[in-house]
Amino acid sequence: MNSDNAILSVSNLSVNYSAADGAVKAVENVSFKIKPGSTFALVGRSGCGKTTIALAILRLLNGQGKITGGNIIFDGVDLLSLAEKEMRKIRGAQISMIFQQPAASFNPVFTVGSQIAETIMLHQGKNKKDALADSVDLLKKVDIDQPEKIIRRYPHQLSGGMLQRVMIAIALCCRPKLLIADEPTSSLDVATEAGILDLLFRLQKDENISVLLITHNPGIVADRADYVAVMNKGSIVEQGETESILKNPSNSYTQSLINNVAGKINL
Ligand SMILES: Nc1ncnc2c1ncn2[C@@H]1O[C@H](COP(=O)(O)OP(=O)(O)OP(=O)(O)O)[C@@H](O)[C@H]1O
Ligand SMILES: [Mg+2]
């Protein structure tokens, strides 16, 4: 694939975190490309650098984290050279993100509806009344019953699965080209997880969104991803089409990841 038809192209990305006793190399020389409309999974054990890559793409690394090398091209735009003001227009609109802990992503003192409406007002310039009406439509789209009632609730009044549906609604409200889903279901029980993943990938197909799916679970990769990159200690150890990587891993680390969930993967 050449870079022209990739929606996201990450080349030689390296990220360090500064620590009292020196720098931690969290991501080293990572390169991958995501084709439009496809699902690309980053898989690897805890601490291997998955979230760091997501935060680097969105330029949301905090003060301690620094991109020390590489390029990130999104839809032909060099994200690392953009002014923060330009980046803000892309974040939450053209690239959106779903996080692992839905509860932590909401502000407890505002209703769910006002938090969806806020994103719509920010990126689409609508007034509050229209944005709230759109919020009801969005909640219908993510299969929430009685959305008129739900928009008046506070985050703690909803279950984890419901909140994750609301977060998907917010992530998709501006029709992003790229959705980054960082362990979107790891805080949910297995039955709820399957429902949320079904919803996410149905909406992806409907709207032709590209997805960067971050997970530690090779079973989810097997079921949902077109392409996969396997990470270990900050580096990608192998990548390619999901089926060929999971069926014939050339790397012993990939083999050990798969063995951990043996019997749970359908290939
Ligand atoms: N703010 C930070 N300051 C210092 N080091 C950090 C910071 N955030 C992450 N790290 C370190 O960077 C490395 C990569 O962390 P990262 O959170 O990207 O991993 P991950 O693959 O997302 O893990 P998990 O599966 O547990 O979410 C780890 O060694 C981690 O300890
Ligand atoms: Mg993480």
Side-chain angles (χ1 to χ4, degrees):
M1 182 185 13
N2 65 44
S3 58
D4 296 335
N5 62 15
I7 185 73
L8 183 78
S9 170
V10 172
S11 327
N12 306 312
L13 179 69
S14 296
V15 180
N16 285 357
Y17 288 105
S18 54
D21 51 352
V24 179
K25 288 183 176 176
V27 172
E28 268 190 282
N29 220 19
V30 159
S31 301
F32 62 92
K33 286 175 179 165
I34 303 182
K35 283 185 186 174
S38 70
T39 298
F40 187 100
L42 274 180
V43 66
R45 293 203 179 103
S46 184
C48 70
K50 304 178 299 292
T51 297
T52 301
I53 291 174
L55 295 176
I57 293 166
L58 285 164
R59 291 197 12 207
L60 286 174
L61 288 163
N62 63 19
Q64 288 165 324
K66 260 213 163 50
I67 295 172
T68 55
N71 281 304
I72 302 173
I73 310 292
F74 166 72
D75 202 19
V77 176
D78 178 357
L79 294 186
L80 300 186
S81 70
L82 284 185
E84 173 57 24
K85 193 173 153 225
E86 297 302 313
M87 194 62 215
R88 233 176 276 146
K89 288 184 198 156
I90 289 182
R91 213 184 277 137
Q94 296 190 55
I95 307 178
S96 58
M97 183 152 171
I98 305 174
F99 297 91
Q100 178 169 356
Q101 294 288 349
S105 309
F106 288 92
N107 188 327
V109 304
F110 294 108
T111 61
V112 163
S114 71
Q115 293 185 62
I116 305 174
E118 197 184 334
T119 306
I120 296 171
M121 291 190 298
L122 177 70
H123 289 293
Q124 297 178 8
K126 294 194 175 171
N127 64 33
K128 181 129 195 187
K129 188 167 162 270
D130 291 345
L132 277 173
D134 284 3
S135 306
V136 170
D137 291 341
L138 278 166
L139 290 185
K140 281 184 196 151
K141 228 173 162 175
V142 294
D143 303 331
I144 287 186
D145 289 338
Q146 301 186 294
E148 294 85 356
K149 237 185 191 168
I150 297 296
I151 59 166
R152 291 198 293 272
R153 298 240 173 108
Y154 289 88
H156 72 271
Q157 296 173 313
L158 302 187
S159 69
M162 285 257 265
L163 277 182
Q164 200 58 301
R165 284 176 193 273
V166 175
M167 197 141 86
I168 292 171
I170 294 175
L172 298 182
C173 74
C174 297
R175 300 181 160 268
K177 291 178 181 152
L178 175 66
L179 173 69
I180 302 176
D182 189 358
E183 308 269 11
T185 55
S186 59
S187 64
L188 306 173
D189 61 72
V190 173
T192 312
E193 171 172 72
I196 294 286
L197 290 172
D198 286 346
L199 168 72
L200 196 59
F201 289 101
R202 192 191 78 217
L203 294 171
Q204 171 189 25
K205 294 240 150 43
D206 289 353
E207 319 231 343
N208 196 35
I209 298 167
S210 316
V211 174
L212 175 58
L213 177 67
I214 294 176
T215 177
H216 58 268
N217 184 343
I220 291 181
V221 173
D223 287 345
R224 312 282 176 169
D226 304 303
Y227 301 89
V228 59
V230 181
M231 287 189 72
N232 186 21
K233 296 183 187 153
S235 300
I236 291 179
V237 295
E238 67 179 312
Q239 62 176 310
E241 289 183 14
T242 302
E243 225 186 291
S244 69
I245 298 282
L246 295 186
K247 268 189 181 154
N248 294 308
S250 61
N251 189 283
S252 58
Y253 178 77
T254 308
Q255 186 67 60
S256 71
L257 262 191
I258 295 169
N259 289 345
N260 277 342
V261 289
K264 295 187 210 152
I265 300 186
N266 310 309
L267 285 172

